[in-house]
Amino acid sequence: MDTESKGLFDTLKPICVPLLKNSRLTPETIPNAANLLTDLLQVLKPISTPRLALPEGLIHYIFFPISGIIRQNDSTTIPDHIMERILDIITILLQSWWWIIEPAMRRTLVNFSSRCLPSGDRSVNGTENQRHEETQLAAVRCLWEILRDHSLDDGTPEEDKIIAAQKILEAKAISPPQLVFILILGIGDQVCTRQGAIRIIGTLDDYAEISSTPTTSSGPPGVVQRTPSWLSATSIQLHNALNVIIPPLVDHPTPAALEGLIDFCSVVLSAASEALQRSQTLLLLPLLILMLHSLPSIADLSRRRMTDILANPSSNAPVLDSLKKAISSTISGLPQLLLSNQNERLANGVKILTAVAVLSLHGVDGISKSISHVLGPNGGIEKWGWNLLEGLELGTPNVFYTTPDADVFLLQSGPSDNITFPYFHMKHVPDSGAQATVANFFRSWGAAAGDEALFSVEWLVSYASKGSNTTEVSALWCASRLLEGICGQTLGETNQKKRIESYSTRLKQHARWLSKLISSLWEQDHETEDENIGGHARHEERDGNQLVEHVKGFQQIQKLLDLGKKAKPSNQAALREQQRVLYRALSLHLLALSSSILENRFSAMLLQALYPILHSFVSTDSFLSATAQSTLLHVTQASGYASPANLLLSNFDYALG
C-alpha cells in the first residue's frame, strides 16, 4: 500500500469500524450510523476519482460496512436519510469500482438501488410507500453510474475502451427493461406538468397564463427543477438511450425479458406520453410486434397493454397520433422492404400493420377508421398500390403436384375434409415465414376494414383485368387475400370456424360481380392464347434460320455445364406461360371465395364459374390442375353439395357446355 492509500486508510478506519458495529439499524443506532455515513461522504467527496483512483482493496474496505447495513436490514425499513447517504457513497465508489466490479456484485447493486424507486404499478406502490424524491434521485444517480459507459469520460486510454465495451455488455445482460423506466420516472407527465415543464393548452386563457407565469421556480437544494429547456435536453438523451436498449430486446428468447419489455413500454407510454413525444414510436413498435409473438401469453399481454393505453384518456390522443404516423410510414416503406431481401425487417414491418388490425378487431375505434380510410375510396390506393404490386412478384414453387385420376376424382361420392390449395412463392421474399406474415397482413386489414375494403378489391381486380403480367398477377393475389379477410375464410385452412354469421348485401353483390368478371376474363384470356399460337409458330420458324456462332474454350464450356444447375424459365415464352398459370390459379381463388360468400346461392353462378374450374382441372400444368381440384372441392362444400360428382350431375348441362 502506497503512502497516499495508507493515509486514506488511517482516515477511514475510525469511521468504517464503528459503522460496522452500528450496521444493525435500531432506534438507538440510527443516529450514530447517520453521522458516520455523513463523515464517510465528507472524506470521499474531495477525492479525485478518475479510473482506479481508489485501490481495489480500499474500495472493498469502504463497502464492507455498507454491505453490512444492506445485509442486516430490510431495504424497506432503512430510513430515507440513511438510504440516501448509502447510495451516494456507492455512487462515488463506482467511479473507480466500475472497471473491476464483478457481474454478481453489479446485479446486487442494481437490485438494491431499484428498490428505492416506484415500480410503476400503482396497485403495489402507493404514495405512502414511496421514498422521498431526494432518495429517489440518489438511486437514479447510482444506477446511472452502473449503466453508463465510463469510457466516454475525457482522458480514457484506447486500450481501456475494450474493457469498457465488455462492461457495457454485462450491464445490458443483467439490467431488466424496467431499469430504464426508473430513469424516466423523473420526467413523467404529472410531475412535469406540475412544475411547468409541460403546458397543456386547451383554451385562450391557457395562452395568457403561459405568458404571465415564470418558467422557473425555486425548490429545495439538490432537487432538479423541471423546465421546458431541461425537459427538451433530457428527453433527447433518454431517447438516444432507449434507441440503443429497446430494439435488441424485441427478439430476446426469454419470456420474462419480453414481459418486462412490454410492461416497461406500456408504463412509459401511459406515464410520459407528453414528456417523451419523440420516443412514442420507439415505445409503440415493440408492443405492436410482440402482439403477434408465437407465445400466446406474450401476445395476449402485449395486446391487453396496448388496449389499456388507447383506452386511457390522458394518453389516448398522442399515442393514437403516433400510431397513425407509424401506419403511414410502414405502408410507404413496404415496397422497399419487399425488395430488400431482409426478411427480419420485412416481418417486423408487416407485423406492425397486422397488429394494428388486431387492435381494430378488438374495438379500438380510431384505428378501425384509419384502416377503412386507407382501403376505402379516399385512401389513395391508386397511388400507393402501384409500388406495392411491383414488389410482390409471384412465382410457382419448385415442386410437382400430383393429382388423382380425373375420372375417379369427379365420380367419387364421399366428401373431402382436407382441402389444400397450392401455395404461391414470392420471388423477393424467400423465407416462407415472412411470406405467411405478408399474407396475414392483407387478411387482417381486410377483416378490420370490412366492406369498406371492397373498393380496394374492386380496384385490384379491375387493374388485373387488363392483362396477365407480373403486376396483374400480384393484384389478383392481393385482392384474394383481402377478400379472405373480409369474408373471414382462409383458403386451405381446415377446421376453421366461420367468423361472420351473415354477409352483407353489398358483399354478396360484389361476389356475384366478381364471379361473372372472372369468368369473362377467363374466356378473354383463352381467346388471346389461341390468337398467339400462330404468331409463336411463325416466330419459331424465323428462329430456326438464325446463324449459330461456334465458340471454343474452357470458360465457355464451363458456362454450358453450369446451365443445368441454374435451369430456369429464362425465355420470354416460358415466363409468359408461368404468369398465365399464376393468373388463372388466382382467378380460381376468387371464385372459391365468392362461393364462400354466396354459399348455396352460388349454384346460380355455376353457369359462368364451372367452365374455368373444369378447364383448369384438365390442364397439363400440375400447379394449375391442383388449384382447380381444390377449388372444385371448396365450391362443392360451400354450395351445399355432398361431393363433386353430385355438383356435376346437378349441373350436367353447364359442364357439358
Side-chain angles (χ1 to χ4, degrees):
M1 183 179 294
D2 56 25
T3 305
E4 183 178 356
S5 300
K6 182 66 168 59
L8 183 58
F9 174 78
D10 293 338
T11 304
L12 292 172
K13 185 176 180 180
I15 301 175
C16 293
V17 172
L19 182 60
L20 181 61
K21 294 180 180 179
N22 292 272
S23 58
R24 181 67 177 176
L25 297 180
T26 63
E28 293 76 18
T29 60
I30 287 177
N32 295 332
N35 293 331
L36 292 169
L37 289 171
T38 301
D39 295 341
L40 183 57
L41 272 174
Q42 296 300 323
V43 174
L44 294 177
K45 281 182 178 180
I47 298 176
S48 177
T49 54
R51 182 191 167 185
L52 295 181
L54 292 175
E56 181 178 0
L58 200 56
I59 292 174
H60 290 296
Y61 180 79
I62 298 171
F63 183 71
F64 186 72
I66 301 296
S67 64
I69 298 176
I70 297 175
R71 290 193 309 269
Q72 298 185 43
N73 301 275
D74 187 353
S75 61
T76 59
T77 63
I78 300 177
D80 285 348
H81 65 289
I82 297 290
M83 183 66 75
E84 182 182 350
R85 289 170 173 80
I86 291 175
L87 292 169
D88 287 340
I89 291 172
I90 295 175
T91 301
I92 294 175
L93 294 178
L94 280 169
Q95 296 178 20
S96 301
W97 197 9
W98 186 87
W99 297 89
I100 55 177
I101 192 171
E102 295 295 328
M105 179 56 68
R106 187 192 300 269
R107 184 179 296 106
T108 300
L109 295 179
V110 165
N111 293 335
F112 175 73
S113 303
S114 301
R115 295 191 189 102
C116 301
L117 294 138
S119 67
D121 187 353
R122 293 183 177 87
S123 63
V124 176
N125 296 284
T127 306
E128 66 279 359
N129 297 324
Q130 293 185 9
R131 294 280 185 180
H132 191 270
E133 184 176 358
E134 294 183 3
T135 307
Q136 294 186 32
L137 290 174
V140 169
R141 289 193 296 268
C142 184
L143 288 166
W144 175 247
E145 286 299 324
I146 297 173
L147 297 177
R148 77 178 182 91
D149 187 356
H150 286 240
S151 65
L152 300 178
D153 295 342
D154 295 336
T156 303
E158 288 295 328
E159 60 271 14
D160 292 344
K161 294 183 179 180
I162 301 176
I163 302 175
Q166 179 62 33
K167 295 298 179 181
I168 290 295
L169 291 176
E170 293 175 1
K172 288 183 179 180
I174 67 169
S175 55
Q178 295 93 327
L179 192 57
V180 186
F181 167 68
I182 292 169
L183 303 178
I184 300 175
L185 287 175
I187 60 170
D189 290 346
Q190 184 177 5
V191 65
C192 288
T193 302
R194 185 173 63 249
Q195 295 192 8
I198 296 177
R199 301 296 181 91
I200 299 177
I201 308 232
T203 63
L204 293 176
D205 294 336
D206 295 332
Y207 283 102
E209 184 180 353
I210 289 177
S211 60
S212 60
T213 305
T215 57
T216 60
S217 59
S218 60
V223 178
V224 176
Q225 297 303 310
R226 297 163 179 83
T227 62
S229 59
W230 172 89
L231 178 60
S232 176
T234 305
S235 62
I236 292 174
Q237 295 177 6
L238 284 174
H239 177 77
N240 295 335
L242 293 174
N243 199 28
V244 174
I245 295 174
I246 289 180
L249 289 175
V250 176
D251 299 321
H252 201 282
T254 307
L258 296 179
E259 291 175 359
L261 178 62
I262 292 171
D263 290 336
F264 159 66
C265 293
S266 60
V267 170
V268 174
L269 282 172
S270 298
S273 59
E274 292 288 347
L276 296 176
Q277 288 187 5
R278 70 178 68 247
S279 303
Q280 282 183 6
T281 303
L282 181 62
L283 295 165
L284 272 174
L285 297 187
L287 294 176
L288 295 173
I289 293 173
L290 292 177
M291 282 177 59
L292 301 178
H293 197 271
S294 57
L295 290 178
S297 59
I298 298 296
D300 184 64
L301 177 63
S302 184
R303 179 186 60 78
R304 286 189 283 110
R305 291 291 187 270
M306 274 299 305
T307 305
D308 293 341
I309 292 171
L310 294 173
N312 185 359
S314 61
S315 61
N316 177 281
V319 172
L320 195 58
D321 289 341
S322 298
L323 199 55
K324 292 178 180 178
K325 293 179 182 178
I327 294 173
S328 177
S329 61
T330 306
I331 290 180
S332 300
L334 191 56
Q336 288 76 16
L337 289 176
L338 288 169
L339 297 172
S340 65
N341 289 325
Q342 299 180 10
N343 292 325
E344 185 176 352
R345 287 188 59 196
L346 173 63
N348 287 338
V350 174
K351 283 180 179 178
I352 292 170
L353 298 175
T354 307
V356 169
V358 173
L359 288 174
S360 174
L361 294 173
H362 283 82
V364 181
D365 186 59
I367 299 178
S368 179
K369 292 180 179 178
S370 298
I371 297 177
S372 299
H373 174 77
V374 172
L375 297 179
N378 299 320
I381 189 174
E382 303 88 349
K383 297 180 181 179
W384 58 263
W386 293 102
N387 295 331
L388 184 61
L389 296 179
E390 291 178 356
L392 278 173
E393 186 176 354
L394 300 176
T396 56
N398 296 324
V399 296
F400 181 81
Y401 293 90
T402 58
T403 57
D405 184 81
D407 297 333
V408 176
F409 172 76
L410 293 176
L411 295 178
Q412 68 181 0
S413 57
S416 178
D417 296 330
N418 187 15
I419 304 175
T420 303
F421 280 80
Y423 66 92
F424 291 81
H425 174 72
M426 296 181 186
K427 293 185 178 180
H428 300 298
V429 187
D431 183 66
S432 59
Q435 293 180 22
T437 304
V438 174
N440 288 332
F441 151 63
F442 282 98
R443 295 188 188 103
S444 63
W445 272 52
D451 288 355
E452 293 297 323
L454 291 176
F455 176 84
S456 294
V457 175
E458 182 177 350
W459 182 86
L460 291 167
V461 175
S462 299
Y463 171 75
S465 65
K466 300 176 181 178
S468 58
N469 295 322
T470 302
T471 53
E472 284 84 355
V473 170
S474 300
L476 285 183
W477 185 86
C478 293
S480 300
R481 305 292 76 81
L482 283 174
L483 193 58
E484 282 181 336
I486 296 171
C487 68
Q489 297 287 317
T490 302
L491 297 179
E493 281 194 5
T494 57
N495 300 324
Q496 57 178 326
K497 296 181 180 179
K498 187 176 180 181
R499 184 175 58 85
I500 302 175
E501 294 298 330
S502 60
Y503 298 114
S504 65
T505 303
R506 178 184 177 185
L507 181 57
K508 292 178 181 179
Q509 292 175 348
H510 191 276
R512 293 188 184 93
W513 167 81
L514 196 58
S515 300
K516 295 178 181 179
L517 178 64
I518 292 299
S519 300
S520 64
L521 291 177
W522 197 279
E523 295 176 359
Q524 179 182 353
D525 184 62
H526 185 61
E527 293 173 359
T528 304
E529 180 182 0
D530 293 339
E531 292 175 359
N532 291 335
I533 291 177
H536 293 323
R538 290 189 297 270
H539 182 71
E540 290 176 359
E541 289 179 1
R542 290 195 302 269
D543 291 344
N545 298 324
Q546 290 180 353
L547 296 176
V548 178
E549 179 184 2
H550 297 276
V551 181
K552 296 181 180 180
F554 176 78
Q555 185 175 3
Q556 286 76 12
I557 295 176
Q558 183 64 38
K559 288 183 178 179
L560 292 176
L561 293 174
D562 292 339
L563 182 60
K565 303 177 184 178
K566 304 175 181 179
K568 293 182 179 179
S570 57
N571 58 83
Q572 293 298 321
L575 288 174
R576 282 196 300 268
E577 180 60 27
Q578 184 188 60
Q579 293 301 311
R580 186 177 291 109
V581 168
L582 295 172
Y583 189 88
R584 291 178 173 179
L586 287 166
S587 299
L588 295 178
H589 279 210
L590 292 172
L591 287 177
L593 292 169
S594 298
S595 69
S596 296
I597 297 170
L598 296 175
E599 296 177 326
N600 57 354
R601 296 184 180 182
F602 189 74
S603 300
M605 309 302 301
L606 290 175
L607 176 62
Q608 294 89 8
L610 197 55
Y611 170 75
I613 298 174
L614 295 180
H615 185 274
S616 302
F617 186 82
V618 296
S619 172
T620 57
D621 188 273
S622 65
F623 182 86
L624 182 58
S625 178
T627 304
Q629 172 192 335
S630 300
T631 303
L632 183 57
L633 290 172
H634 187 94
V635 170
T636 299
Q637 289 187 359
S639 302
Y641 291 96
S643 66
N646 290 342
L647 183 147
L648 292 176
L649 290 174
S650 300
N651 301 274
F652 182 74
D653 51 342
Y654 301 163
L656 186 62

